[in-house]
Amino acid sequence: MRSARYEGLVQKQIFSMPSYTTIGGKTIKDLKVGWESYGNLNDAKDNVVLVPHFYSANSHVAGKYKEDDLLPGYWDSIIGPGKAIDTDRFFVISVDSLVNMNSKDGITVTTGPASINPDTGKPYGMSFPIVTIRDFVRVQKALLDSLGIKKLVAAGGVSMGGMQSYEWAAAYPEMVERVFAVNSTSSQQPSARVVLEAWVAPIKVDPKWNKGNYYDGPEPIDGLTTALYNVTVDALHHESITDTFGYQWADPNKDPLESLENDFLSVQSIKAMSLLRATTAVDANNMLYMTRANQLFVAGTAGSSVESQLKNIKVKVLVIQARTDLLFAPEYAKAEVVQLKKNGTHAEFVEFDSGGGHLSGITEVAKAGDAIRKFLTT
């Protein structure tokens, strides 16, 4: 079995399951997720690199759907012919997660609260079962099984993509040879629950959210916009905000000292970007469910296994961290590597310099390209 060779243009494909039972024991009927691939699957089906996506992304990790697309997939700088994850050598695959928040963008394929419940003919809303990072991984495993893939050269990603990769190593150690994680963690710190809740709290206080029952009426766009604003601000670092916007006013003729309606360029720009995503791409309920899946990725929580199984991870691990990441601080990543080594696991730590904060794992990942290339080929 071979895939069309990746040459920059990619196609979203769909994987379906008639029924899926979650970690929590609930059944999801007619499950569908999208997926994309890059490169050729060899005859032995053993040249596969899985790249799970981050919290607010989807499976579009490289290339373009059309020549005139404004931007390629978010890791295009390291995925492709001759790049760090070389598609002349590897078959790269990525999968849209369950409860993916981008369910309105017309491209992402996901099953979640915004999906139609086949038993009622209406959107699930809050009746959709809670899902976990382990559920994301189990659906990915089912897709790979359907393709006859029994071995991964590596699983690796940024942020939540790295979390899923650790979960792969914990859940299917016989299948994964390597894990690489960029600006990520093998188990959320307890404080992460608080930060994640602060991100989505504005959705829940928007009257239009209506406890998740808004599909027959106006969406909670105000709350969702603020939630997306919160995520973006926390994922940046003061160095990148200063470098990009400085101290400029949004309108040179409107002094913020004169009125609260007069804004700063930094605030106005991030608000505008957040509003665009809220109106064109992101579903509020899906974002809440995605957030809960991330909150549950902590030792001792149902469906979260990595920290308790960290001692069982024997595959090679590469931890890559940006100096200015404020969500997953470098000191935690370094401590994780120390613990892995104590457990007898081959673990390496690479830090790259960037003022871009957590988002640098997306925008500046090429700075770690040589380390990733070496890790995948040795």
Side-chain angles (χ1 to χ4, degrees), residues 50-304:
L50 176 72
V51 180
H53 64 74
F54 61 92
Y55 171 83
S56 59
N58 60 16
S59 62
H60 193 43
V61 296
K64 293 183 176 184
Y65 299 119
K66 305 184 301 295
E67 290 287 357
D68 59 356
D69 284 352
L70 292 177
L71 296 171
Y74 65 85
W75 260 14
D76 191 76
S77 64
I78 61 168
I79 297 174
K83 297 179 184 180
I85 307 175
D86 188 355
T87 52
D88 285 336
R89 180 171 186 166
F90 300 115
F91 179 74
V92 180
I93 187 167
S94 187
V95 186
D96 293 336
S97 67
L98 292 172
V99 301
N100 190 292
M101 65 177 69
N102 300 292
S103 62
K104 296 191 307 190
D105 68 3
I107 299 171
T108 303
V109 179
T110 185
T111 303
S115 303
I116 299 299
N117 182 343
D119 290 338
T120 66
K122 298 179 180 180
Y124 281 98
M126 295 294 98
S127 70
F128 195 79
I130 298 293
V131 292
T132 67
I133 298 294
R134 174 62 69 89
D135 288 305
F136 298 173
V137 166
R138 288 174 64 184
V139 172
Q140 293 162 15
K141 171 68 161 50
L143 167 60
L144 296 184
D145 287 345
S146 74
L147 298 174
I149 296 169
K150 301 183 183 303
K151 181 69 69 173
L152 295 176
V153 173
V158 57
S159 192
M160 190 186 83
M163 291 159 58
Q164 292 172 82
S165 300
Y166 279 119
E167 189 74 25
W168 261 97
Y172 305 108
E174 75 289 347
M175 189 171 177
V176 185
E177 295 178 351
R178 300 170 181 83
V179 162
F180 63 98
V182 182
N183 289 356
S184 191
T185 180
S186 67
S187 181
Q188 292 277 26
Q189 296 296 316
S191 60
R193 287 176 169 176
V194 180
V195 173
L196 287 160
E197 190 63 29
W199 287 357
V200 297
I203 295 173
K204 297 178 181 179
V205 297
D206 186 328
K208 293 178 181 177
W209 179 59
N210 191 30
K211 297 184 178 179
N213 300 310
Y214 56 80
Y215 293 108
D216 292 329
E219 297 181 56
I221 296 298
D222 289 345
L224 180 56
T225 298
T226 304
L228 293 166
Y229 177 91
N230 291 345
V231 174
T232 303
V233 170
D234 279 355
L236 291 170
H237 187 273
H238 64 81
E239 291 181 18
S240 62
I241 295 175
T242 300
D243 290 345
T244 303
F245 302 107
Y247 300 92
Q248 298 179 73
W249 302 345
D251 185 328
N253 299 312
K254 294 183 179 180
D255 186 350
L257 177 63
E258 301 297 328
S259 171
L260 286 174
E261 293 183 358
N262 298 340
D263 226 333
F264 301 95
L265 181 61
S266 54
V267 174
Q268 184 187 71
S269 298
I270 298 174
K271 280 183 178 178
M273 179 180 66
S274 301
L275 175 60
L276 179 63
R277 290 202 66 200
T279 54
T280 63
V282 177
D283 176 77
N285 283 341
N286 278 33
M287 186 173 183
L288 291 172
Y289 272 70
M290 175 63 76
T291 301
R292 178 52 56 89
N294 279 262
Q295 287 176 314
L296 287 171
F297 192 67
V298 181
T301 304
S304 176

Side-chain angles (χ1 to χ4, degrees), residues 348-370:
E348 307 170 42
F349 178 81
V350 172
E351 183 171 287
F352 67 94
D353 190 47
S354 167
H358 188 67
L359 287 182
S360 63
I362 304 161
T363 60
E364 299 181 67
V365 69
K367 290 182 176 180
D370 288 343

